[in-house]
Amino acid sequence: MIKLHSTGLHDATVLSNLFIDRYMPKANGEFVKVYIYLLRMLGRPKEAFGLSQMADSLFCTEGDILRALKYWENEKLVSLLYEEAELTGITLLVPWNETDMLAAVSPKKHYNASFLREDPAPYHTGSSEPADTGTADGTGDTPFPADVPAIYGTDTPLPAVSSQPVSERKTLTPDRVKELKQNEDIIQLLYIAEQYLGKTLTPTETRKILFFYDELHMSVDLIDYLIEYCVGRDHRSIRYIETVAMAWKEEGITTVEMAKDSTSRYSKEYFSVLKAMGITNRNPSDVEISLINTWTKDYGFTMDLIQEACSRTVLQTGQPSFPYADKILQCWKDKKIRTLEDVRVQDAQHQKRKLEKAAAKPAQPKTSAPNRFNNFHQRDYDFAEYEKKLLNKPN
């Protein structure tokens, strides 16, 4: 059975406003059900429960429950305890607000991080143990004030203060975000982004888009095309969109025309390789794109040389194989082959060595392989002599 713990007192099923505002909008509905169910079970301290009971109560599978628990663990709302690979404990952590946490701590003082790692009290405990006011080693570190909750268990690492890039934190202050949201172009851009993504933007997604505009200095039209490009390739994650944005920034792409030229060039290269492999009617996979990028960027091969390797792969194996083509190209790279003419010279040299090796090998007389018809000594008959004896034989 699983023991449920909490770092706070829960006399009723209370859903934090912070959870509703920050965590619930981006979470799967089934995951929200599991979290609320855990809050409800805090009011039943004497009732033991397990994954099967939770699955039966919520009309789902145990796998669905585990996926939800792992999701909330990643969001730092629960801490899971395992014993010999079996889930034996769940600790509900207090939703934390980064702004409130920073405001509660004076920047002129150093606080003992151990107060963020106190052992969580079990769900039936009314209050946690009072914190010490000093440290044993006399370092003079000041603990968190009493009104700052201990929000992380002993097995949960202390999170970074912010997951945003340093440049984004410097530029996108709350006042700056508020100012940008009053810009008519930004208002229209955020609306278009919601239409592309098919959902209401979360605060994180909104900040990222504003970061593209304010820090990466991308125009509204370019951000519009950026989101359209990613969604058109079935990628709606803001992390993927940010990765593409950073890549465009590194390439010096500043206009929609430059972005279209870059994406069309890459798309043409990818699909030309697929065509050489005999693959049609599908997009390249991430692994295939990674290999193609390796061939063009790391190996420095031109597309005609890559297509030749792909054609040889299909001829040799009878099917498309990117790993086989990669071996061919690695061999050419090691031999410093850079053009199709180099390939033809290499082929001619290989064929010449093959013929010389065959000529140098001494010829061996062919012997018939033994079988069940000639694997014994053959007899020699003189049929003319037999015929003469038969003719001279008296009646």
Side-chain angles (χ1 to χ4, degrees):
M1 305 307 290
I2 298 174
K3 293 181 179 179
L4 184 64
H5 304 272
S6 172
T7 56
L9 177 61
H10 295 272
D11 294 327
T13 304
V14 179
L15 194 60
S16 166
N17 289 333
L18 184 59
F19 174 84
I20 297 174
D21 296 337
R22 178 174 179 178
Y23 296 94
M24 190 176 72
K26 62 180 180 179
N28 182 291
E30 296 298 318
F31 297 170
V32 175
K33 283 171 53 177
V34 172
Y35 182 78
I36 296 176
Y37 181 81
L38 293 176
L39 292 178
R40 175 68 185 92
M41 292 304 296
L42 289 173
R44 300 176 180 177
K46 296 182 180 180
E47 182 175 335
F49 73 102
L51 293 178
S52 59
Q53 288 88 339
M54 294 175 66
D56 292 340
S57 299
L58 299 178
F59 300 100
C60 59
T61 66
E62 294 184 19
D64 296 332
I65 300 295
L66 282 174
R67 280 191 291 273
L69 292 176
K70 290 179 180 178
Y71 173 81
W72 292 123
E73 185 180 35
N74 290 333
E75 292 293 321
K76 310 301 182 186
L77 287 185
V78 302
S79 177
L80 305 180
L81 176 64
Y82 293 90
E83 291 183 5
E84 297 181 356
E86 181 182 358
L87 180 62
T88 58
I90 302 173
T91 300
L92 270 69
L93 308 175
V94 179
W96 63 285
N97 187 310
E98 176 186 317
T99 303
D100 294 343
M101 180 66 74
L102 293 178
V105 181
S106 172
K108 296 182 180 180
K109 295 182 179 181
H110 299 282
Y111 293 97
N112 193 338
S114 65
F115 284 85
L116 286 179
R117 297 175 178 269
E118 290 181 311
D119 290 330
Y123 58 81
H124 58 270
T125 301
S127 62
S128 59
E129 293 293 325
D132 295 335
T133 58
T135 57
D137 57 1
T139 57
D141 285 348
T142 306
F144 277 104
D147 58 342
V148 180
I151 58 176
Y152 288 93
T154 54
D155 296 330
T156 307
L158 185 66
V161 173
S162 174
S163 59
Q164 297 174 333
V166 174
S167 57
E168 184 176 348
R169 291 207 306 271
K170 288 181 179 179
T171 305
L172 294 179
T173 61
D175 291 339
R176 179 57 177 163
V177 171
K178 184 177 180 180
E179 178 186 350
L180 289 173
K181 285 186 175 180
Q182 295 175 351
N183 186 315
E184 289 295 331
D185 291 337
I186 296 298
I187 294 173
Q188 183 68 16
L189 174 62
L190 296 177
Y191 172 78
I192 293 174
E194 290 182 339
Q195 302 308 306
Y196 278 132
L197 299 176
K199 67 184 185 73
T200 302
L201 295 176
T202 65
T204 299
E205 291 168 337
T206 301
R207 286 196 303 270
K208 291 295 183 184
I209 294 175
L210 296 180
F211 170 70
F212 302 156
Y213 177 82
D214 203 51
E215 179 65 21
L216 300 186
H217 306 296
M218 300 176 73
S219 66
V220 171
D221 291 338
L222 183 57
I223 299 174
D224 184 349
Y225 178 72
L226 166 69
I227 301 174
E228 177 189 357
Y229 170 79
C230 295
V231 172
R233 281 146 187 80
D234 201 25
H235 292 288
R236 288 174 168 79
S237 167
I238 193 64
R239 290 186 179 182
Y240 182 91
I241 296 173
E242 182 183 19
T243 301
V244 176
M246 298 303 295
W248 287 4
K249 176 68 175 178
E250 292 179 1
E251 289 185 42
I253 294 175
T254 57
T255 65
V256 175
E257 290 71 21
M258 294 173 67
K260 288 182 177 180
D261 179 67
S262 176
T263 55
S264 64
R265 183 176 70 252
Y266 284 124
S267 297
K268 183 178 179 181
E269 290 177 352
Y270 297 148
F271 284 102
S272 64
V273 173
L274 291 183
K275 184 178 180 181
M277 285 282 194
I279 301 174
T280 57
N281 300 325
R282 74 167 177 83
N283 292 326
S285 67
D286 292 340
V287 175
E288 293 168 347
I289 290 176
S290 177
L291 278 174
I292 295 172
N293 290 339
T294 299
W295 299 339
T296 56
K297 296 178 181 179
D298 297 344
Y299 295 176
F301 287 135
T302 57
M303 286 309 300
D304 55 352
L305 207 58
I306 295 173
Q307 290 171 342
E308 177 66 20
C310 294
S311 299
R312 295 185 179 216
T313 296
V314 176
L315 288 175
Q316 290 291 331
T317 64
Q319 60 184 359
S321 174
F322 277 78
Y324 192 94
D326 185 53
K327 290 182 180 180
I328 294 176
L329 292 170
Q330 281 184 4
C331 181
W332 288 354
K333 175 176 174 290
D334 294 339
K335 294 182 178 180
K336 302 188 183 307
I337 294 176
R338 311 306 301 175
T339 65
L340 288 177
E341 182 62 28
D342 294 339
V343 173
R344 285 189 281 270
V345 171
Q346 174 67 22
D347 289 344
Q349 293 176 351
H350 176 72
Q351 188 65 23
K352 182 179 179 181
R353 288 193 299 270
K354 189 175 179 180
L355 292 174
E356 291 175 349
K357 185 177 180 180
K361 190 175 181 179
Q364 297 180 353
K366 291 185 178 181
T367 57
S368 58
N371 54 49
R372 60 181 177 174
F373 298 104
N374 61 5
N375 60 355
F376 57 89
H377 178 70
Q378 302 292 323
R379 295 183 179 140
D380 296 328
Y381 293 101
D382 190 347
F383 291 98
E385 184 66 26
Y386 274 104
E387 184 180 6
K388 188 182 296 182
K389 288 182 179 180
L390 287 173
L391 292 175
N392 296 330
K393 185 177 180 180
N395 293 331

